[in-house]
Amino acid sequence: MIDFRSDTLTKPSMAMREAMMSAEVGDDVFNEDPSIHSLQNFAADMFGMEDALFCTSGTQTNQIAINVHTQPGGEVVCHWESHIYKYEGGGIAKNSGVSARLLDGDRGRITRESIANWMNPDDVHYPITQLVSLEDTANRGGGAIYDLNEIKKIKSWCVENALPLHLDGARLMNAMVATGNDIKEYASQFDSISLCLSKGLGAPVGSLLLGKKDFIKQARRVRKVFGGGMRQAGFIAAAGEYALKSNVERLVTDHENAKALEAEFVKKDWVKDVVSVMTNIVVVNLKQNDQRDLIINKFKEKGILCMAFGVGMLRFVTHLDVSSDEIARTIEAIKTI
Ligand SMILES: *Cc1c(COP(=O)(O)O)cnc(C)c1O
């Protein structure tokens, strides 16, 4: 099967498994795992952030960040299709007692202007706005990338209003290789960043939370409360460090592959349009909504898996376990459907 359902489906390569096998480990709740320290230090350095914390998942890093930045009764501002709101099981309310101000915006991205328009005044009627959260790349936006200039405008507005700015950077490295932006300059705009190692970077488990020393100290406490204190997790941290060192530059290949699929999809008469590909996500809008499951099955019969992505929508995600040969075979398959 050629599996485009998600970039989380990758399996560790032999070289990654070897890095895992030879990892030195210790008890990380005691803060004594050398492989976890090594990953956290490497990532903090790479991003120019003070400190980092290795966590179980991107949901956990986002939820920890929200919990540290807010107080019950407060409000987080985010796009209405953002992962933190739509795909984290209501965790904003359940874990932190916070409500969400959901903004619209082009392809999963919000602007300084919309945030400024919706910030609550200091009035007893309103929840206190406590956090702004961005997603880059934006999954529901078909892997859309934020313009760094817009992020800088949002950041300056947050600074003026004493609001922390969080980044759900599950696929941040895809954005970085696509734009060529300086990682440290980019990261300096945020008070906290969540980065997934288990998506396009190809590690089996884990996400990193990055921020200031004091923030990470609080995050470590919340991670324990959320049940995410791990023991000899250096084995998986070693996979994560291998991924950060070896699998970033190659993301350009995934982006080229996604572009190649897009070029073929737009020729099909059953396709209404394709959300213009910016990174590794291809969202196909169908002419007839009721053909979605039929088309998914036709691909399946040809050994190709993709995902339903809403009404009349398909999602194909390229990743390191889809080879150029498999892309060529997929293009042939698209021609025959
Ligand atoms: C995958 C993803 C996450 C985190 O998901 P986990 O499965 O919990 O690691 C967060 N945000 C976005 C945008 C994602 O795509």
Side-chain angles (χ1 to χ4, degrees):
M1 283 286 178
I2 308 174
D3 205 337
F4 292 104
R5 289 173 302 164
S6 175
D7 47 3
T8 55
L9 292 151
T10 58
K11 304 207 173 109
S13 64
M14 276 319 296
M16 183 180 276
R17 286 169 200 238
E18 274 158 25
M20 296 170 79
M21 280 297 290
S22 58
E24 270 184 61
V25 296
D27 188 325
D28 186 50
V29 176
F30 285 39
N31 209 355
E32 288 175 6
D33 188 300
S35 297
I36 292 181
H37 289 164
S38 173
L39 168 64
Q40 290 171 167
N41 291 337
F42 180 80
D45 255 17
M46 181 175 167
F47 283 81
M49 302 289 270
E50 283 182 15
D51 209 351
L53 185 68
F54 183 55
C55 297
T56 60
S57 70
T59 298
Q60 190 175 63
T61 41
N62 282 331
Q63 291 298 320
I64 290 172
I66 292 163
N67 193 266
V68 172
H69 286 309
T70 64
Q71 297 296 320
E75 186 176 82
V76 50
V77 178
C78 60
H79 191 277
W80 69 277
E81 287 199 295
S82 58
H83 195 283
I84 61 164
Y85 177 74
K86 194 178 175 101
Y87 293 127
E88 298 186 5
I92 294 173
K94 191 161 180 166
N95 296 325
S96 299
V98 170
S99 57
R101 165 71 73 174
L102 303 175
L103 304 184
D104 200 0
D106 177 46
R107 296 185 61 179
R109 298 163 298 187
I110 54 178
T111 61
R112 173 189 166 122
E113 196 190 351
S114 65
I115 298 165
N117 286 344
W118 286 106
M119 165 119 183
N120 288 331
D122 183 5
D123 174 316
V124 291
H125 291 88
Y126 300 106
I128 301 171
T129 307
Q130 292 178 333
L131 175 65
V132 176
S133 180
L134 311 182
E135 186 174 308
D136 198 8
T137 68
N139 173 36
R140 296 288 320 173
I145 304 173
Y146 264 93
D147 174 5
L148 180 52
N149 287 322
E150 188 62 42
I151 292 178
K152 286 179 176 170
K153 285 187 208 161
I154 292 170
K155 174 61 179 179
S156 71
W157 190 86
C158 286
V159 169
E160 284 161 30
N161 291 279
L163 278 178
L165 182 60
H166 173 70
L167 176 72
D168 177 355
R171 297 189 179 85
L172 177 58
M173 299 324 294
N174 293 84
M176 291 293 103
V177 302
T179 57
N181 282 334
D182 180 66
I183 297 185
K184 292 189 169 89
E185 186 195 3
Y186 181 97
S188 70
Q189 306 304 314
F190 294 94
D191 298 280
S192 54
I193 295 178
S194 159
L195 173 78
C196 283
L197 300 164
S198 59
K199 297 250 159 104
L201 297 179
V205 191
S207 287
L208 284 161
L209 185 59
L210 296 131
K212 290 218 160 33
K213 278 227 167 335
D214 181 55
F215 170 83
I216 293 296
K217 187 176 174 205
Q218 295 177 66
R220 181 179 290 280
R221 170 173 280 277
V222 176
R223 184 185 67 172
K224 189 75 179 80
V225 174
F226 285 177
M230 295 182 285
R231 303 296 177 174
Q232 287 74 24
F235 293 114
I236 51 175
E241 186 167 339
Y242 177 89
L244 267 185
K245 286 178 175 167
S246 312
N247 292 344
V248 173
E249 275 94 51
R250 62 151 308 285
L251 291 171
V252 293
T253 306
D254 297 342
H255 300 172
E256 287 163 8
N257 289 343
K259 275 273 179 205
L261 296 184
E262 174 187 29
E264 210 51 48
F265 279 124
V266 295
K267 296 178 191 163
K268 304 304 295 187
D269 57 6
W270 43 267
V271 169
K272 187 168 83 187
D273 55 51
V274 179
V275 179
S276 176
V277 167
M278 296 180 84
T279 50
N280 68 329
I281 299 178
V282 186
V283 174
V284 180
N285 290 306
L286 304 177
K287 271 205 187 122
Q288 286 177 257
N289 291 344
D290 60 2
Q291 284 194 340
R292 187 190 67 189
D293 296 343
L294 181 79
I295 291 174
I296 290 174
N297 279 329
K298 284 195 172 172
F299 274 108
K300 202 170 180 180
E301 282 162 18
K302 293 176 183 296
I304 295 162
L305 300 178
C306 64
M307 222 171 68
F309 202 52
V311 179
M313 294 167 101
L314 303 177
R315 188 184 78 163
F316 291 72
V317 187
T318 56
H319 53 76
L320 79 174
D321 281 0
V322 179
S323 65
S324 54
D325 178 51
E326 289 173 321
I327 292 293
R329 276 161 52 201
T330 304
I331 286 172
E332 287 314 305
I334 297 171
K335 284 183 178 152
T336 65
I337 287 174

